[in-house]
Structures are given as structure tokens and as C-alpha cells.
Amino acid sequence: MTTIPLVDLAAAQAEIAEEVRAGFDEVLATTAFVGGKQVAAFEREYADFCGVGYCVGVGNGTDAIELALRAAGVGAGTGTGTGTGTRAATGDNVGADEVILPVNTFVATAEAVLRAGALPVFADVDDEHLLLDPDAVGAALTERTRAVIPVHLYGQAAPVERIAAACRADTIVLEDAAQAQGAVRDGQAAGGLGLLAATSFYPGKNLGAAGDAGAVLTNDAELARKVRLLGAHGSERKYVHESLGFNSRLDTLQAVVLRAKLTRLARWNEARAAAAVRYDELLGDDPRVRLPATLPGNIHVWHLYVVRIPDRDAVLARLHEQGVGAGIHYPVPLHLQPAFAGLGHAAGDFPVAEKAAGEILSLPLYPHITPEQQRRVADELRRALP
């Protein structure tokens, strides 16, 4: 029995293999292993792709969120964003800046907030799109709120303009754009909707590296400078360190891979969108399957195709038995994770996200998935449903 994976990176890698090999040869020949023209070129090209002024490559997406927060002065409440280390996930961090974020996101979003010295404040999502609910953001605001992180989930942008309107004028909007590379909201690409944006280039993303990598995007030259400074040990000149920083830079070899994929990203996103339409057609007449919805004003790039179904765990097990690599993004909301038990939340605090967590199922989707594979996925899903 042939397995259909949730994500298949092999076809994309084969498409770029020669270009990447030539780029690697150049890097190895010039020994420009850190920084250099490949990194600078990718930063410029990705900034242009997202319609922003500046892109700063960093080590990974988690670092991107943390460095963006610190550059914007969000942290332990000192106004400097230079917290003294990772805070525990408790509600008694007196004086810490608060950062509102959705409860249904990967742990890194909240983890980075704590690493910056700030306190994550969870909020629920809307039932239709599972994106951060502006009303929930407004309800979560306090005098200590310094920032909000809308997560662009599954391939579409959160309603950043409505979220910003629910906040005070001085609240920083930092997009978590890791799942929406190439997505558009009201004519603006994801990554240019807030003051800053953070993204991950983890291999499974729409724009994925051959390992860990990330970036911070902004139109603010000074914020871009601060992010770059923080990611390079607080130094712009060798052995001169104007602040404490970190070692988080985009690897040159990863820049080679990302440049090769970036030229194909629009076409690959179009292929994802066509596959999503095909799933809609294959499953749209089954009342047991709740199809994903696109928020008005959005161009969706379908990082994931997520349906909602009854008896999800049993269905998932049956799919795996039949060689269909479906998954769950995400099975446990952050407030119910042991790492955040100190924040004092309990089951029932965020009912929309909690209910969805028991129903969501991610079906195999990638640019090179075939109609035949999708028909098999749909057939196996129908057979597995109660």
C-alpha cells in the first residue's frame, strides 16, 4: 500500500536540486559561510515579495518573534525589551509587559513571549476561521498590554486591521506569519500588515529551508537595525558590542535554498490553492465534513487544508491504517499545556478553540499532490467517518 504523506518535500527538492547544488558550490568555494551576498540577496528579495522595506534573516521562527519583541521594547516592563532571562509561565510576573495571542497556535508563539521577558495573555478565536477574535482581544486588554500577536493560521491572514482597532493606539502588532508566506489581506501581503512580522522557514512551510531558519519583516529602518543588532551579539562592528544580544543569523546555505524556492513560491501557492478547490469538490457534499472557510478580503495560500469532523481521533487512526498521513494542528490549546499551567487557566476558559481542537483534521496537501492522491484521501476519509 502506497502511503500519502501529510507533506511531501521530495518533489520540491528535486525541482530545485541543480540550482541549490550550484549555489552550495559557490558558497563552499568562496567560504562565505556566515552572511555574505546570498543572505543579503535573499533578505532583499523576500522583503520585496512581502512588500516591506526590510527583512532580517535569523536562526529560526521562534527567535524571530523574540527578537522582534525585544527590538520593539516589549519585555520585562522596563521599556527596553532586554528582560533578564526566560520567565516562568505564571500569572504573578509583576510589572511584565503583556502580549495577547491566540490560544490555538504552536507553542513557539507563547514561548518566545516568555523568552523576551513578557507575559503571554491568551485569547479565543472565531469559530468560522479559527483566527484570533478581535472581540476577545479587546476583552483581554489591560494597562500592561504592550503587544498583540495575530497568528496567520493554516495559510490565511488574521484580520489584523480589526485586531488593531480593538487595541489602544500604542499597542504593537506583531504578525506571526510563519504559515502564510504569500498570503494577502486586502491587497497587502502577510508580513506587511503590522509594525513587525516574524516568520519561520522550517522545511514544511510554504517557503521552507533545508533546516531551521526565520526572518523578521518591517517597514521601520530602526527596528530592522535593532533586530539585526540583537541577532549578532549586539554588534554592528567587530568586537564592539553596544548591547547584549544573541547568536541568531540566517545561515548562508539556507539562504541558497530559500532563494531557489522563492522564485517558485507563487506558482507553488497556486498549486496549493488548486488542490484546496479539488478537496472542496471532493468533500463538499458530505454533511459530516466541515470544510475550511476563507475570511473575506483574504487570498489563502493553503499551508494546511483543515477540515472539522466528528470522532476525529478514531477517524485519524483509520486513515493512518490506510496509509493516509493526516495530522492535527493543534490537538491541545496552549492554556491546557503543562508548560503554561502556572497561568491558572482551566478547561472551558477558551471554548471555541477547545471545541475545535477535538474536531480539526489536516489532510495531505503540498504543491505536487496529484488529483489521484486527493481522490484516495477523500475516499478513505468518507469510509473512516462514522
Side-chain angles (χ1 to χ4, degrees), residues 9 12-24 27 38-39 42 45 201-203 205-213 250-265 268:
L9 302 179
Q13 179 57 36
E15 194 173 326
I16 65 169
E18 290 188 12
E19 186 175 340
V20 168
R21 189 175 297 111
F24 279 9
V27 172
Q38 288 283 357
V39 172
F42 171 73
E45 290 159 4
F201 301 122
Y202 188 76
K205 304 301 185 187
N206 288 38
L207 180 62
D212 279 315
L250 177 62
D251 182 82
T252 309
L253 294 174
Q254 299 300 348
V256 171
V257 175
L258 291 169
R259 290 189 72 196
K261 288 188 174 182
L262 182 57
T263 62
R264 297 162 171 84
L265 180 56
W268 286 351

Side-chain angles (χ1 to χ4, degrees), residues 64-76:
I65 297 172
E66 179 183 0
L67 295 175
L69 288 169
R70 288 179 178 271
V74 178

Side-chain angles (χ1 to χ4, degrees), residues 32-49:
F33 300 125
V34 178
K37 67 178 185 179
Q38 288 283 357
V39 172
F42 171 73
E43 289 178 335
R44 182 177 63 254
E45 290 159 4
Y46 194 62
D48 290 345
F49 180 83

